[in-house]
Amino acid sequence: MNPPVVSGGAVLSRVILVGQAPGDKEPVLGRPFAWTAGKKMFHWFQDHTGVDEKTFRSRIYMAAVCRCFPGKRPEGGDRVPAPDEIANCSSWLKTEMDLLRPGLVIAVGKLAILQFIPCVKLDEVIGSSFPAEYGGHRFDLVPLPHPSGASPWPHQMPGRVLLPRAMELIAAHPAWKQSIRRDLPE
């Protein structure tokens, strides 16, 4: 893992978005989802919920399974964090859940989804909402695919149908509405 730790900042929200781990650009830019995958993900939110990146970042708490860039794979692309790295970072997410007690968790990518529910194939979980529990807290979980440019999943069937369905579930969720519609940060 390569420091520094990347954080979305202090946002009081009933919604937590959980990603996998920062890429190599996020530590330099100092925020999660700051590069290509982030641009795609924020495009999804703009298109399907009407929420732009600036509003999202100011209203939705952003966390990650691992907080530091895990490094590159020898064959190219970002390395998936190892089980011991995930375990070393797990106290961050547990503490965030304790503090925020979210009503909605949006898990982005298979590694994030697996922290909350079993997932063999994305088409079994994307487009659905699940009651979930983590660290003694219960909430609704809406999984999303990872917005990586390397993944064709959101652009082909069944992803082209399931991604909009998942975004509709997020937009309709009471915790989302409460977090997005408030006039000033609490």
Side-chain angles (χ1 to χ4, degrees):
M1 299 299 259
N2 300 312
V5 169
V6 176
S7 168
V11 176
L12 186 59
S13 181
R14 296 272 299 134
V15 180
I16 297 179
L17 180 135
V18 180
Q20 174 174 294
D24 61 344
K25 305 288 189 291
E26 281 75 7
V28 175
L29 297 170
R31 63 188 190 277
F33 286 102
W35 204 243
T36 308
K39 289 178 185 174
K40 184 185 286 185
M41 183 186 74
F42 291 119
H43 184 74
W44 293 345
F45 280 99
Q46 176 74 52
D47 288 353
H48 297 283
T49 71
V51 175
D52 63 23
E53 179 179 351
K54 182 179 177 185
T55 302
F56 188 100
R57 287 186 184 279
S58 71
R59 304 291 173 94
I60 305 301
Y61 189 87
M62 298 175 74
V65 174
C66 288
R67 303 310 164 101
C68 299
F69 173 55
K72 295 285 187 184
R73 296 180 307 183
E75 63 275 11
D78 294 348
R79 183 175 64 76
V80 174
D84 64 319
E85 294 168 323
I86 294 168
N88 287 340
C89 289
S90 65
S91 65
W92 287 88
L93 188 57
K94 287 177 184 162
T95 300
E96 290 158 337
M97 297 292 277
D98 284 342
L99 291 170
L100 295 173
R101 299 183 179 274
L104 173 63
V105 172
I106 303 166
V108 180
K110 196 167 185 179
L111 182 68
I113 296 165
L114 287 168
Q115 305 312 300
F116 305 105
I117 60 171
C119 176
V120 176
K121 293 175 60 179
L122 288 177
D123 59 348
E124 295 172 351
V125 298
I126 307 294
S128 297
S129 178
F130 300 89
E133 184 269 329
Y134 185 88
H137 302 290
R138 294 179 188 273
F139 50 87
D140 294 323
L141 176 75
V142 177
L144 293 178
H146 194 283
S148 164
S151 173
W153 194 89
H155 307 290
Q156 54 190 328
M157 294 304 284
R160 282 199 326 248
V161 171
L162 296 178
L163 175 61
R165 188 178 302 159
M167 299 305 293
E168 289 171 10
L169 290 168
I170 292 167
H173 196 280
W176 175 265
K177 291 177 181 179
Q178 177 188 11
S179 295
I180 292 301
R181 292 189 178 158
R182 61 189 161 88
D183 293 330
L184 297 170
E186 296 174 25

